[in-house]
């Protein structure tokens, strides 16, 4: 022990200790929204119930074992003048059998509710609303795939939104999770960046991996209207930490209005500056700089490689670009348009070298899309 201590510098021990203590204390913060222990729907509630039993048992085991270690370390510590070793013993069949069998029995007991919940949650409820969740680098897209959730003047297509998933309260929702890469496709049609994400809104449901080439599912329901925050929980590249999302739950009446608004398509633009922005958005940029609609869609126009902007400024669309900035934050929106990579390094949207006039017009246009 003595040689160990002399090798590890004291300062380093203090630093490591301080870091561990800080991490521990962070868990005591108030008003932290992403709290598994604060379930806001039946899925999260049943997951918490299954978690609590082993957590309590593990807590008791932890106190007993650590307490025992502390007790023995203090009772049999080295004292000056007492050089005699305490009597050494090895092997106690009864004890060893006991601490092998007891944990096995405990684990078997804990396994029963855990596995039955896994089975229960894996079932697809017959009347659930269906939403396809798309994990992109680094934002979330949502497609409403039920037949009564279509939009479009010609060919009908699903309602598509990004960053904020809007759902009705009191209704079961069945999510299909798909990994979509960076937005572009390889020559064989697969997404360009095949990375794994994980979809997680702690107050509503546990983590579920979003894996290229397969579709995973989550079933959940929200009890009360409100905003619930979540984030990607699987390292997926440079901006994994800024791949956030929000779930906005509306009561059934507000939900109906939201659906009608989505189905009406984008708002008509009347403001002159916004009109100018619409021109910039809908046409190729001057000087061969590319086109917004090469990746983004508004209404029937544009592609689906980047967030659909049809209702960018609708009140539930609280945040943009991986939910890193509030939609109402004009300066953040301008900074994003000026150079996305300057504010979110690695973002797939390139710098289009927009002039300040172009940026002002585009912002006015985006804000007219309610
Ligand atoms: Cu997506 Cu981490």
């Amino acid at each position: 022990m003595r040689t160990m201590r002399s090798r590890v510098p004291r300062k380093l021990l203090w630093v490591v200790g301080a870091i561990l203590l800080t991490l521990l204390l962070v868990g005591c913060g108030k008003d932290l929204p992403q709290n598994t222990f604060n379930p806001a729907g039946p899925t999260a509630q049943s997951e918490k119930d299954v978690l609590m039993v082993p957590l309590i048992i593990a807590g008791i085991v932890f106190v007993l074992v650590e307490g025992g270690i502390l007790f023995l370390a203090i009772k049999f510590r080295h004292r000056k003048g007492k050089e005699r070793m305490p009597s050494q013993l090895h092997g106690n069949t009864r004890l060893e059998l006991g601490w092998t069998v007891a944990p096995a029995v405990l684990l078997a007991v804990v396994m029963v509710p855990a596995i039955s919940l896994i089975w229960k949650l894996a079932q697809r409820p017959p009347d659930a609303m269906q939403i396809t969740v798309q994990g992109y680098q680094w934002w979330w897209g949502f497609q409403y795939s039920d037949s009564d959730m279509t939009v479009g003047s010609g060919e009908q297509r699903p309602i598509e939104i990004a960053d904020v998933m809007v759902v009705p309260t009191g209704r079961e929702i069945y999510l299909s999770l798909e990994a979509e890469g960076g937005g572009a496709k390889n020559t064989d049609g697969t997404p360009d960046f095949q990375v794994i994400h994980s979809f997680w809104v702690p107050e509503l449901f546990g983590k579920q991996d979003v894996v290229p080439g397969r579709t995973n599912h989550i079933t959940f329901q929200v009890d009360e209207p409100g905003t619930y925050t979540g984030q990607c929980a699987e390292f997926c590249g440079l901006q994994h930490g800024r791949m956030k999302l929000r779930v906005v739950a509306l009561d059934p009446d507000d939900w109906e209005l939201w659906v009608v608004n989505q189905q009406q398509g984008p708002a008509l633009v009347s403001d002159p500056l916004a009109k100018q922005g619409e021109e910039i958005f809908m046409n190729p940029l001057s000087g061969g700089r590319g086109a917004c609609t090469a990746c983004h869609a508004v209404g029937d126009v544009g592609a689906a490689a980047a967030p659909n902007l049809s209702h960018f400024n609708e009140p539930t669309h609280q945040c943009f670009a991986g939910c890193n900035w509030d939609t109402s934050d004009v300066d953040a929106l301008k900074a994003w348009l000026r150079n996305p990579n300057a504010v979110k390094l690695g973002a797939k949207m390139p710098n289009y070298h927009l002039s300040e006039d172009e940026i002002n017009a585009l912002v006015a246009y985006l804000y007219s899309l309610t």
Side-chain angles (χ1 to χ4, degrees), residues 136 138 140 196-198 232-237 240-241 243:
Y136 287 89
W138 290 275
W140 297 99
I196 301 175
H197 305 275
S198 179
C232 181
E234 181 73 45
F235 182 70
C236 54
H240 153 70
M243 187 171 171

Side-chain angles (χ1 to χ4, degrees), residues 229-253:
T229 63
Q231 64 187 68
C232 181
E234 181 73 45
F235 182 70
C236 54
L238 200 55
Q239 294 292 352
H240 153 70
R242 288 161 122 189
M243 187 171 171
K244 299 185 270 183
L245 75 135
R246 292 180 200 172
V247 174
V248 169
L250 302 173
D251 68 40
D253 290 342

Side-chain angles (χ1 to χ4, degrees), residues 303-325:
N308 187 303
L309 302 173
S310 302
H311 298 272
F312 180 82
N313 201 27
E314 200 272 335
T316 59
H317 188 246
Q318 303 171 354
C319 46
F320 71 98
C323 257
N324 289 296
W325 298 280

Side-chain angles (χ1 to χ4, degrees), residues 64-84:
L64 286 178
V65 171
E66 298 300 318
I69 291 173
L70 273 180
F71 171 75
L72 293 175
I74 292 169
K75 184 167 163 58
F76 296 106
R77 70 187 181 279
H78 176 77
R79 290 192 185 89
K80 256 209 175 122
K82 280 197 171 178
E83 300 303 335
R84 197 174 59 83

